[in-house]
Amino acid sequence: KKILIYVNAHKGEEKIKKIIHTTLHECFHYRDHLKETDFKNYDYYTKQVGYSFNKYEISANKFANKNLKECIKHLKQKGIVS
């Protein structure tokens, strides 16, 4: 399994913040994929309610939003981002 993030798809002043958010978001999906037996229905949910209202997208965004500041703080302390 692989998480592939297109860093050049993220634009603007908050590019690093957006990349970190996307990374957290995708890591949450990976965790869901391992833990949630219902995750196999991801595409079904997307077809039924759309990408933005897919329960897995909502959960992943919620996780990323909740952990973004702390993750950035940690990465700054480690000298990984400035």
Side-chain angles (χ1 to χ4, degrees):
K1 304 291 179 193
K2 205 184 278 190
I3 295 174
L4 180 62
I5 297 172
Y6 296 95
V7 295
N8 291 329
H10 298 82
K11 307 274 187 225
E13 293 178 21
E14 296 191 336
K15 181 176 181 172
I16 297 298
K17 183 177 177 181
K18 291 175 185 177
I19 291 169
I20 295 168
H21 185 280
T22 299
T23 303
L24 290 168
H25 176 105
E26 295 304 329
C27 286
F28 190 85
H29 278 319
Y30 178 73
R31 189 185 79 171
D32 264 358
H33 177 267
L34 296 175
K35 291 176 67 176
E36 296 288 329
T37 56
D38 191 43
F39 193 82
K40 66 184 179 287
N41 293 315
Y42 175 92
D43 291 334
Y44 170 79
Y45 293 129
T46 299
K47 288 177 186 171
Q48 293 299 309
V49 298
Y51 174 83
S52 296
F53 295 103
N54 182 319
K55 68 180 187 174
Y56 291 109
E57 291 303 323
I58 292 168
S59 295
N61 279 322
K62 191 176 195 178
F63 173 82
N65 291 337
K66 179 181 176 189
N67 292 285
L68 182 61
K69 286 182 182 179
E70 189 64 31
C71 185
I72 291 171
K73 179 181 172 185
H74 177 76
L75 293 172
K76 284 181 178 180
Q77 287 174 344
K78 295 290 184 182
I80 297 170
V81 297
S82 54

